[in-house]
Amino acid sequence: MTLPSEPNTVPPQDDFELSLKPLWMRAQGGDSAAYREALLRIAQRLRRFYSRRLQALPDEVEDLVQETLLALHMQRGTYDETLPVSSWVFAIARHKLVDLWRRRGRRDNLNDSLDDMTEDQHPATEEELPSKRDLGVLLEQLPELQRQAILLTKIEGLSMIEASERSGVSVAALKVQVHRGLKQLAALVRSET
């Protein structure tokens, strides 16, 4: 799949870069007002960037904008001031877009559309399980870090690296949280039977 991209270098006449760079440099120096303004401008540009690329998935746009802003915040120490800020921003945005396509591709390939199935092809539904056995109820009993780690890796199917990028938690810490969470879930299930 070819990924449409913003130019790697931004021409000097680009108003977005010209207004963003000074704000970002002040933000990097600790100016919180400049940081807020830079993020507002970046968010506005990201919404247009993602909207053009996700016309069939408009509900994903705002989530990707927020994920990208979070990644920018977490990775702001990696910004090289000799480069245009917008090039750095859109490099991260493209990674987030690719991550979305990978997630959706995995999920979409595993699921047949219920609309394309005849009535006799629909899966049989079993009797409703007691609410205590419901996965959502069990997950709510876990500490937040364990719940988040399990949701990202086991429910959404993200790799440890993808989950680490999304959550801002190291891969090693995620592995520990998943292990502990699964162990606690097993104990909860055993105690309810």
Side-chain angles (χ1 to χ4, degrees):
M1 177 179 296
T2 304
L3 180 64
S5 63
E6 296 288 319
N8 285 336
T9 59
V10 178
Q13 68 274 13
D14 186 325
D15 290 338
F16 177 65
E17 180 64 27
L18 287 174
S19 65
L20 182 60
K21 179 88 175 209
L23 277 174
W24 191 258
M25 296 313 297
R26 288 197 333 258
Q28 290 288 78
D31 183 336
S32 59
Y35 186 59
R36 278 191 304 279
E37 180 62 27
L39 290 181
L40 287 172
R41 290 182 189 196
I42 291 169
Q44 185 177 30
R45 183 59 65 100
L46 287 172
R47 283 184 188 95
R48 287 197 309 260
F49 174 82
Y50 288 132
S51 292
R52 284 193 309 266
R53 286 153 181 83
L54 296 170
Q55 291 178 8
L57 302 168
D59 294 341
E60 298 288 351
V61 170
E62 193 58 34
D63 287 346
L64 273 183
V65 169
Q66 296 306 315
E67 282 182 40
T68 305
L69 291 175
L70 180 60
L72 292 171
H73 176 74
M74 300 299 290
Q75 298 176 23
R76 65 183 179 203
T78 67
Y79 171 67
D80 177 356
E81 62 185 61
T82 63
L83 299 174
V85 178
S86 55
S87 293
W88 177 70
V89 167
F90 286 112
I92 292 172
R94 283 190 296 277
H95 286 289
K96 293 297 178 186
L97 188 57
V98 168
D99 288 346
L100 171 73
W101 285 340
R102 283 184 186 139
R103 283 192 311 271
R104 289 196 62 86
R106 273 197 301 258
R107 205 172 335 148
D108 293 347
N109 288 338
L110 294 174
N111 299 305
D112 294 327
S113 170
L114 292 177
D115 297 333
D116 297 338
M117 300 173 89
T118 63
E119 194 63 37
D120 62 323
Q121 292 175 319
H122 283 242
T125 57
E126 294 182 26
E127 198 173 303
E128 188 72 31
L129 295 173
S131 64
K132 283 190 159 193
R133 300 281 302 195
D134 182 62
L135 180 59
V137 172
L138 291 170
L139 284 171
E140 286 300 317
Q141 296 177 50
L142 295 179
E144 176 61 31
L145 291 175
Q146 292 174 8
R147 180 173 52 249
Q148 181 184 30
I150 289 173
L151 286 171
L152 291 173
T153 60
K154 302 300 180 186
I155 307 298
E156 290 186 36
L158 299 179
S159 70
M160 284 292 180
I161 293 171
E162 292 169 329
S164 173
E165 288 173 357
R166 174 139 3 132
S167 65
V169 176
S170 72
V171 171
L174 269 176
K175 287 180 181 179
V176 169
Q177 294 302 331
V178 168
H179 175 75
R180 288 178 181 167
L182 291 175
K183 190 174 177 181
Q184 190 167 349
L185 279 176
L188 288 168
V189 169
R190 278 193 302 272
S191 71
E192 292 178 2
T193 56

